Amino acid sequence: MDTRRRERYYKLLLIPQIMTIIRTILQILILYIFYYIGVLIVNVTHLPFPPSVIGLLLLFLCLQRKWIKVGIIQQGASFLIGFMTLFFIPSMLGIVEYPELLSMKGILLIVTVFASTVLTIYLTSIFSGIIERKERGLKGKEDGGVERHHLYH
C-alpha cells in the first residue's frame, strides 16, 4: 500500500473515532451545564438542596418534556456511568482519616448507608421497569402498533 492510500485509510479509520470522542466530550459538557445551572439556582435562591440534584431534576424535566432528546446526552452519560466507581475512590479513602466512623456512630452510619442503598436499588428497579415498559411500548408502536409483553417473546 502506498503512502497516500495508507494516509487515506488511516483517516477513514480515525475520523469516526475522533467524532465519537468529540461527541462524548460535548455531551459531558451539556451535563455540566445542567450542573452549573443547579449551582446558580442554589446560590441565588439558597435552597437547601445540593446543586447536582437541582441540575439532575432540571435535566429530568427537559427529558420528560422532550426539550432535549436522550440521544443528545446518551454517550456522555454512558461514559460517566462507566467510570462512576472511580469517582467514589476519593470519598472512600477520606473515610480512613476519620476513625470515629468505626465507633457506635459508625455502626449507625453503616446501617443508614445500607438502608439507603437498598432503598436506592429498589427505587432504581421500579424506575427501570417503568422506563423499559415505556420503551417497549414505543418500539412496539414503531414496529406496527402491536405492543408485546416480554413473557410472550
Side-chain angles (χ1 to χ4, degrees):
M1 195 182 303
D2 65 349
T3 313
R4 187 175 261 175
R5 290 183 80 191
R6 186 177 303 152
E7 287 177 6
R8 184 185 297 166
Y9 178 73
Y10 287 134
K11 283 182 181 178
L12 288 175
L13 281 178
L14 290 178
I15 287 176
Q17 292 174 347
I18 291 172
M19 292 304 294
T20 300
I21 291 170
I22 291 172
R23 190 177 310 122
T24 302
I25 290 171
L26 290 176
Q27 290 179 0
I28 290 172
L29 287 176
I30 291 171
L31 295 173
Y32 267 103
I33 288 171
F34 277 96
Y35 169 72
Y36 282 112
I37 290 172
V39 169
L40 179 71
I41 289 172
V42 167
N43 285 338
V44 170
T45 62
H46 302 289
L47 285 173
F49 290 108
S52 58
V53 172
I54 300 294
L56 193 63
L57 289 174
L58 287 173
L59 179 63
F60 175 74
L61 179 70
C62 289
L63 289 171
Q64 184 69 25
R65 296 284 180 180
K66 298 184 180 177
W67 294 334
I68 293 178
K69 294 182 179 179
V70 175
I72 292 177
I73 59 165
Q74 192 168 16
Q75 278 185 324
S78 296
F79 178 80
L80 290 176
I81 288 173
F83 289 100
M84 184 181 285
T85 53
L86 292 176
F87 299 137
F88 290 112
I89 290 174
S91 60
M92 293 305 291
L93 292 176
I95 289 176
V96 174
E97 293 185 20
Y98 299 98
E100 64 270 7
L101 291 176
L102 300 176
S103 64
M104 189 59 189
K105 288 181 182 178
I107 292 172
L108 290 174
L109 181 66
I110 289 172
V111 169
T112 304
V113 168
F114 180 75
S116 65
T117 301
V118 169
L119 182 65
T120 302
I121 291 170
Y122 176 71
L123 291 176
T124 302
S125 69
I126 289 174
F127 287 123
S128 296
I130 292 171
I131 291 170
E132 184 180 354
R133 279 190 298 252
K134 194 171 185 175
E135 285 183 354
R136 285 181 184 220
L138 291 175
K139 189 175 182 181
K141 288 179 182 176
E142 290 173 0
D143 292 343
V146 178
E147 185 176 339
R148 295 183 201 164
H149 193 269
H150 69 281
L151 295 176
Y152 301 112
H153 282 251

